[in-house]
Amino acid sequence: QVQLVESGGGLVQAGGSLRLSCAASGSIRSFNTWGWYRQAPGKQRELVAGLGNGGFTNYADSVKGRFTVSRDNAKNTVSLQMNSLKPEDTAVYYCNADHFSRVLTTTRWGNYWGQGTQVTVSS
């Protein structure tokens, strides 16, 4: 069975940085689509960053210039480098993936989800 496991969340001061990682196991094929989503209490889950086959990336406007998504196909992992963190970035962050090539959006996601990792940014 396919599993995605996130790590790297924690508590950080505003202006600080965190790096999230997501490791995949059990897939019979490499993923062609990766994504990071987040959900804050009482808010809709939203796409933070999408990464398609061929290196296409798509970021939420609120994180452009601060967050960077990257992948290591050989290791079947994806990461999210988060810099200049703000309190409004506080949320549970979820890894998402799909074997098909997809364009991820806030309302359109891949078939597989991680369990989530908490990111808390204090002011």
Side-chain angles (χ1 to χ4, degrees), residues 81-100:
Q81 178 66 45
M82 305 185 294
N83 298 325
S84 302
L85 283 161
K86 305 174 180 179
E88 48 263 50
D89 295 319
T90 295
V92 177
Y93 284 71
Y94 298 91
C95 178
N96 180 252
D98 203 291
H99 291 120
F100 292 101

Side-chain angles (χ1 to χ4, degrees), residues 9-110:
L11 175 65
V12 65
Q13 296 271 158
S17 298
L18 285 173
R19 186 175 181 86
L20 306 182
S21 295
C22 176
S25 64
S27 177
I28 61 174
R29 299 159 52 203
S30 297
F31 293 115
N32 286 312
T33 303
W34 291 95
W36 287 96
Y37 292 76
R38 68 186 181 187
Q39 187 169 24
K43 295 183 65 179
Q44 174 73 41
R45 181 179 60 196
E46 66 173 341
L47 177 70
V48 177
L51 178 59
N53 193 33
F56 172 82
T57 57
N58 188 43
Y59 295 93
D61 288 341
S62 60
V63 308
K64 286 181 179 177
R66 300 188 297 120
F67 291 11
T68 303
V69 63
S70 61
R71 64 184 171 192
D72 186 332
N73 289 332
K75 296 181 179 179
N76 210 16
T77 60
V78 65
S79 297
L80 184 69
Q81 178 66 45
M82 305 185 294
N83 298 325
S84 302
L85 283 161
K86 305 174 180 179
E88 48 263 50
D89 295 319
T90 295
V92 177
Y93 284 71
Y94 298 91
C95 178
N96 180 252
D98 203 291
H99 291 120
F100 292 101
S101 294
R102 301 184 184 276
V103 177
L104 301 180
T105 70
T106 287
T107 56
R108 189 68 174 172
W109 48 82

